[in-house]
């Protein structure tokens, strides 16, 4: 089979593409469009704990004997050798939180109705009034985002202080209070329950590294360790429901992967507008660039070492039923610029969990690197 090398592009073409990307980033920085909001977000579990498993049909983590857990980014960034890093079970302390009070809902634009609400753990109970013993409804706050809303002037003497809860399926419910301090207390209690954090409390976000289909990739510094990380900022407004689902599948796979030659997921934050994925910083460029800088000639021992690293990472993925489906030099990044640096497999956007009795016949991949049988 003849290979059309022109598809790979010349050095001149790649240099022109690099200059174009640099110009785009400079334009973003000059306009301020690469700034990211400091609004809070839910800090999500970043590790599948013992007892969790991947559902081969949906590609999502399913609950086993244990719950999803948080892995300490600090431990990894400090150089912990073992994948069994310091962790804690997500949501353990929140279940004891109790808060109650009166809030207002709008029946119509002009008709207001008061209810008594009780927050118990991650469940918000609603009563007709404070004296009622039986609740008229309950909302589970798992997967819910909270958003502060601007005050509304009902008339010349009445000011309403609202906030909204965005339930799964992007369904908002607005709650009103007559006192700003009361609203702030409700917001604080709910944020604590659903695990709200501020990205900027943990990371100092720096310059933009690149621009992707759904957002930016920025460099940041982990405040506790001073180590550099990469922050992928994706706007959910620019994503279809299918795009969001594919991104969640990629996150689930990365949560499972604890391998030295696969990029490490460190942290995840999400709010109603954005998903923030924090990963280890890889400064050596991709494998293609690494080889190009060396005129595509490396010692046989080094070639064997790189091949072994790729093979062990793939064996690890396949042992979990994960097919990458877009493996190519551009999706293999080098940890540093050093000649003997390790490589890491990245970009699991097209990956799929394939069960023991399943097969995958979908034609995924990049044309220049795809296996011949995929094209037949």
């Amino acid at each position: 089979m003849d290979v059309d090398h022109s598809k790979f592009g010349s050095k001149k073409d790649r240099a022109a593409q690099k200059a174009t990307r640099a110009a785009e980033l400079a334009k973003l920085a000059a306009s301020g469009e690469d700034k990211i909001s400091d609004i809070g977000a839910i800090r999500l579990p970043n590790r599948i704990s013992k007892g969790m498993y991947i559902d081969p049909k949906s590609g999502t983590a399913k609950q086993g004997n244990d719950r999803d857990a948080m892995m300490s980014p600090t431990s990894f960034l400090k150089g912990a050798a073992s994948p069994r890093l310091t962790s804690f079970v997500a949501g353990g302390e929140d279940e004891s939180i109790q808060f109650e009070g009166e809030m207002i809902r709008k029946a119509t634009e002009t008709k207001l109705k008061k209810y008594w609400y009780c927050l118990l753990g991650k469940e918000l109970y609603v009563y007709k009034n404070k004296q009622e013993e039986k609740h008229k409804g309950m909302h589970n706050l798992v997967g819910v985002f909270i958003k502060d809303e601007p005050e509304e002037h009902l008339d010349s003497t009445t000011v309403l202080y609202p906030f909204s809860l965005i339930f799964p399926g992007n369904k908002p419910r607005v709650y009103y209070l007559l006192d700003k301090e009361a609203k702030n207390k409700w917001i604080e209690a709910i944020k604590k329950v659903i695990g709200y954090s501020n990205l900027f409390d943990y990371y100092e976000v720096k310059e933009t590294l690149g621009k992707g289909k759904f957002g930016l990739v920025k460099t940041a510094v982990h405040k506790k360790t001073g180590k550099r990380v990469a922050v992928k900022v994706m706007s959910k407004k620019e994503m279809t429901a299918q795009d969001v689902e594919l991104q969640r599948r990629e996150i689930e796979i990365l949560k499972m992967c604890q391998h030295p030659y696969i990029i490490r997921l460190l942290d995840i934050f999400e709010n109603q507008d954005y998903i923030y994925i924090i990963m280890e910083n890889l400064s050596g460029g991709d494998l293609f660039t690494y080889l190009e800088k060396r005129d595509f000639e490396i010692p046989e021992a080094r070639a064997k070492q790189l091949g072994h690293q790729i093979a062990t990472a793939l064996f690890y993925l396949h042992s979990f039923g994960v097919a990458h489906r877009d493996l190519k030099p551009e999706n293999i990044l080098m940890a540093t610029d050093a000649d003997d640096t390790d490589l890491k497999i990245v970009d699991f956007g097209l990956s799929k969990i394939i069960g023991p009795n399943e097969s995958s016949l979908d034609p995924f991949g990049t044309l220049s690197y795809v296996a011949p049988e995929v094209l037949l």
Side-chain angles (χ1 to χ4, degrees):
M1 178 179 173
D2 294 329
V3 178
D4 183 5
H5 293 279
S6 64
K7 291 179 181 177
F8 295 98
S10 65
K11 284 187 177 181
K12 186 177 179 181
D13 292 336
R14 288 190 291 276
Q17 291 169 1
K18 187 176 181 180
T20 300
R21 287 195 297 270
E24 288 176 354
L25 295 181
K27 186 178 179 181
L28 279 172
S31 65
E33 292 179 23
D34 66 338
K35 297 288 190 298
I36 64 175
S37 171
D38 63 353
I39 189 171
I42 296 176
R43 195 180 192 189
L44 300 174
N46 59 356
R47 182 182 180 189
I48 296 174
S49 63
K50 182 182 176 184
M52 299 293 289
Y53 67 95
I54 297 290
D55 185 339
K57 291 184 178 179
S58 64
T60 58
K62 294 293 184 180
Q63 190 65 54
N65 295 327
D66 296 322
R67 291 182 289 177
D68 229 352
M70 295 286 290
M71 177 185 73
S72 167
T74 305
S75 299
F76 176 77
L77 292 170
K78 280 183 175 179
S82 170
R84 298 182 63 179
L85 305 180
T86 303
S87 61
F88 59 92
V89 177
E93 297 179 357
D94 299 333
E95 293 173 2
S96 62
I97 293 175
Q98 296 183 46
F99 191 79
E100 59 182 338
E102 189 176 71
M103 291 195 287
I104 300 168
R105 293 293 312 278
K106 277 187 178 181
T108 65
E109 274 303 313
T110 55
K111 185 179 179 182
L112 304 178
K113 202 160 185 180
K114 294 181 179 180
Y115 295 99
W116 190 262
Y117 289 87
C118 179
L119 180 64
L120 182 61
K122 287 183 171 65
E123 293 173 343
L124 182 64
Y125 293 87
V126 55
Y127 299 82
K128 286 184 178 180
N129 52 60
K130 188 177 181 180
Q131 288 72 37
E132 283 285 322
E133 293 187 5
K134 186 177 180 180
H135 61 275
K136 69 183 292 291
M138 185 273 286
H139 301 294
N140 191 295
L141 301 185
V142 174
V144 170
F145 303 109
I146 188 168
K147 184 179 180 182
D148 194 0
E149 302 285 359
E151 61 186 49
E152 296 181 17
H153 291 265
L154 194 63
D155 51 44
S156 58
T157 59
T158 308
V159 180
L160 297 177
Y161 298 92
F163 68 88
S164 59
L165 296 178
I166 297 91
F167 289 84
N170 202 29
K171 298 174 182 177
R173 282 176 173 265
V174 183
Y175 300 85
Y176 299 86
L177 292 105
L178 296 173
D179 179 74
K180 188 173 183 179
E181 185 180 350
K183 180 187 86 165
N184 291 337
K185 285 181 178 179
W186 269 106
I187 290 177
E188 184 181 348
I190 293 173
K191 280 185 174 182
K192 190 173 182 181
V193 163
I194 61 179
Y196 244 60
S197 300
N198 195 313
L199 173 74
F200 293 87
D201 289 341
Y202 303 93
Y203 301 94
E204 184 181 349
V205 180
K206 300 286 190 177
E207 68 273 9
T208 302
L209 295 175
K211 186 177 186 296
K213 184 179 178 182
F214 303 117
L216 304 172
V217 178
K218 302 180 78 72
T219 185
V221 175
H222 184 249
K223 289 186 176 181
K224 276 191 177 180
T225 62
K227 297 292 181 68
R228 295 184 80 83
V229 297
V231 182
K232 194 175 179 181
V233 185
M234 288 173 294
S235 172
K236 292 198 284 189
K237 294 177 182 177
E238 299 176 24
M239 303 168 79
T240 65
Q242 185 180 14
D243 292 329
V244 173
E245 184 58 35
L246 287 173
Q247 185 58 59
R248 295 200 192 286
R249 180 184 295 181
E250 180 178 4
I251 289 171
E252 294 296 331
I253 290 172
L254 288 171
K255 281 162 63 175
M256 179 180 61
C257 293
Q258 310 286 321
H259 192 277
Y261 305 133
I262 297 173
I263 191 166
R264 184 64 65 94
L265 173 69
L266 299 175
D267 238 335
I268 316 162
F269 294 81
E270 183 177 356
N271 58 29
Q272 66 274 11
D273 297 320
Y274 293 94
I275 300 174
Y276 307 91
I277 301 176
I278 293 85
M279 311 183 84
E280 61 178 311
N281 184 60
L282 304 174
S283 59
D286 61 45
L287 178 58
F288 191 95
T289 303
Y290 174 87
L291 296 173
E292 185 182 41
K293 287 179 179 178
R294 292 154 180 82
D295 295 321
F296 298 98
E297 291 184 3
I298 57 175
E300 183 177 343
R302 178 59 174 156
K304 182 177 73 172
Q305 183 185 43
L306 294 176
H308 181 262
Q309 290 182 2
I310 295 171
T312 55
L314 289 176
F315 180 82
Y316 177 86
L317 289 172
H318 293 172
S319 69
F320 283 100
V322 177
H324 187 281
R325 302 203 298 183
D326 195 21
L327 196 62
K328 57 184 178 180
E330 287 84 349
N331 283 342
I332 299 173
L333 299 185
M334 313 307 290
T336 68
D337 287 324
D339 284 338
D340 60 350
T341 186
D342 288 335
L343 56 76
K344 310 263 184 173
I345 294 177
V346 304
D347 197 348
F348 288 80
L350 295 179
S351 299
K352 184 179 180 181
I353 308 292
I354 302 175
N357 299 316
E358 266 191 294
S359 59
S360 178
L361 302 177
D362 305 319
F364 283 98
T366 301
L367 190 60
S368 302
Y369 298 103
V370 76
E373 58 268 26
V374 175
L375 301 176
L376 298 177

